[in-house]
Amino acid sequence: MAKLKHLIEYAAVRILAFAAQLLSPRAADSFGSALGTLVYHIAPSRRHISNKNIKSTIGKNWSEDEIESLTIKVFQNIGRTLIEVARFQKLTVEGAQKIVTGDSGLFRKINSKGDGAIFLVAHFGNWELSACWPGIIGLPVNLLVGTQHNLLVDELLNDFRRQMNVGVTPLDRQTRAAFKILKSKGMVVLAADQHAPAGIKIDFLGRPALHPRGPALFSIRTGAPICPFLIRRERFDRHTIITGTPIFPPNSGDEEKDIRTMTEAYVKFYEEHIRQNPDQWTWTHRRWKTQTN
C-alpha cells in the first residue's frame, strides 16, 4: 500500500512539475500562490501549527485576523517556492543569475581565501534557490539535505537541485561527508532553522528552541567559517541576496561555549530578517519543541 501511495504521489508531482514548466514566470507564480492557498484550506493541522507559532512569538498582540492573514501568505510563499523549484530545469543557471540581485562578493571572497565554507540558509523566501545560489555563481558546493519519505519524490527533488550546478549529499551520510569536504577546504550548504532534537537550547523569536550543533561543530573542527545568508522574494521574477557577517570559530578553548556563541550569532541573523518579512519564513513546522515539553 505504501509503495502504491508513493507511486501516486510521484506521478502527481511529475504532472505538477510538467504543468509548471509550460507556464510563463508570471503565470507560474500565480499558480504557485493558488496552490499554496489550496493547501492552506485542506491542511488544517499545518494551518494550526503556523497560527500557534505566530501567536506565541511575533504575534502576541495581534488579532486572530492578522495571524490568519499572515498564515495564508506563508502558505502562498511555500506554493510559489515549490513551483519555482519544479521550473529549475527551464530556468537554468543563467536564468537564475538574471533574477537574483544583490552583491555576491562575499561568496567569491570566501571562495578565494581557500579555507572552505559552511553556507547557512533558512527556510525563507525561495530557500531552495538560496541553497543553490553558491553553485549558481560557479562555486563548487555540496548541499547537505534531508531525505524525503517518498524516495521517488526525493530523487526528483535532488534532480531539480542538480540543475542548479550543485552536488547533493543525503542526510544519512552528511556528517561524515561534511567533515571530509570541509577538511579538504571545500564548501557545503545546509539549512539550520528547524528543530534539532539533540541540539543546543537558545531563544528564537522570544521562545526557547533547540538548534543544531552541527554547523558550529563543523566550523570549530575544520576552521571553515559559517556564512549565513538568505534570498528574499521581491516579486515573481526578482529575488534579493541578504548576507550576514561570516562567523569564525572563537577558539576560546571551551568547545561548548564556542558552539553556543557561534549558534547565537546566526540565530540572531535569522531572527532579524524573519521579523522584517515574516510571510517569507516557513512557520508550518513544530519549531519550538524542547526536551521538556
Side-chain angles (χ1 to χ4, degrees):
M1 183 63 71
K3 185 176 180 180
L4 177 59
K5 178 184 177 183
H6 285 179
L7 286 171
I8 293 172
E9 288 175 348
Y10 175 71
V13 172
R14 288 301 299 260
I15 292 170
L16 194 67
F18 177 76
Q21 292 177 22
L22 294 177
L23 300 172
S24 69
R26 187 185 293 273
D29 182 70
S30 296
F31 180 34
S33 179
L35 177 64
T37 302
L38 174 63
V39 175
Y40 164 84
H41 287 292
I42 65 175
S45 63
R46 290 294 166 183
R47 187 171 70 237
H48 174 72
I49 291 169
S50 180
N51 287 349
K52 182 178 178 181
N53 285 342
I54 294 166
K55 187 172 185 177
S56 64
T57 55
I58 65 170
K60 289 179 179 178
N61 298 317
W62 293 14
S63 68
E64 293 299 324
D65 286 346
E66 288 172 321
I67 292 172
E68 205 67 38
S69 176
L70 176 54
T71 293
I72 293 174
K73 292 176 181 177
V74 168
F75 275 85
Q76 289 172 341
N77 181 68
I78 294 171
R80 287 185 168 106
T81 297
L82 295 177
I83 294 302
E84 286 167 345
V85 172
R87 288 171 49 82
F88 273 0
Q89 184 175 9
K90 184 174 182 179
L91 177 63
T92 74
V93 167
E94 293 75 17
Q97 292 172 348
K98 292 177 182 178
I99 66 172
V100 178
T101 63
D103 186 5
S104 293
L106 171 66
F107 302 94
R108 302 190 191 283
K109 182 178 180 180
I110 290 293
N111 183 45
S112 68
K113 286 177 66 67
D115 294 330
I118 302 159
F119 291 115
L120 220 56
V121 298
H123 292 81
F124 182 95
N126 185 327
W127 61 89
E128 292 287 349
L129 183 61
S130 61
C132 294
W133 183 246
I136 291 169
I137 61 173
L139 276 59
V141 296
N142 224 278
L143 306 190
L144 306 184
V145 300
T147 302
Q148 305 295 316
H149 292 299
N150 187 327
L151 296 182
L152 293 171
V153 173
D154 183 72
E155 185 55 31
L156 181 62
L157 177 56
N158 287 336
D159 282 344
F160 291 150
R161 290 165 171 155
R162 293 186 187 104
Q163 297 290 331
M164 293 291 111
N165 194 35
V166 297
V168 177
T169 298
L171 179 65
D172 58 350
R173 300 196 300 271
Q174 66 175 228
T175 300
R176 180 177 296 180
F179 275 120
K180 183 177 180 180
I181 293 168
L182 294 169
K183 284 181 178 179
S184 64
K185 307 303 181 183
M187 293 175 282
V188 298
V189 183
L190 68 155
D193 61 326
Q194 292 192 325
H195 172 70
I200 181 171
K201 188 184 292 186
I202 294 171
D203 278 7
F204 182 47
L205 298 172
R207 290 185 60 193
L210 293 174
H211 304 265
R213 297 162 54 85
L217 193 60
F218 290 155
S219 179
I220 291 166
R221 300 277 177 90
T222 67
I226 294 175
C227 302
F229 78 103
L230 302 167
I231 287 184
R232 184 180 64 222
R233 182 188 306 283
E234 306 293 355
R235 58 180 194 240
F236 74 93
D237 62 349
R238 188 66 61 205
H239 305 261
T240 300
I241 299 170
I242 305 169
T243 56
T245 303
I247 304 165
F248 292 87
N251 296 323
S252 70
D254 184 336
E255 187 172 86
E256 287 302 310
K257 178 182 177 182
D258 288 352
I259 290 173
R260 175 171 292 277
T261 298
M262 298 180 78
T263 304
E264 286 175 341
Y266 70 72
V267 166
K268 184 177 180 181
F269 171 78
Y270 289 158
E271 286 182 320
E272 177 185 352
H273 294 286
I274 290 169
R275 288 184 185 279
Q276 289 176 7
N277 297 99
D279 58 310
Q280 301 213 20
W281 190 60
T282 307
W283 293 86
T284 53
H285 65 282
R286 292 181 176 88
R287 181 64 186 92
W288 284 273
K289 293 187 291 184
T290 67
Q291 294 167 336
T292 58
N293 64 14

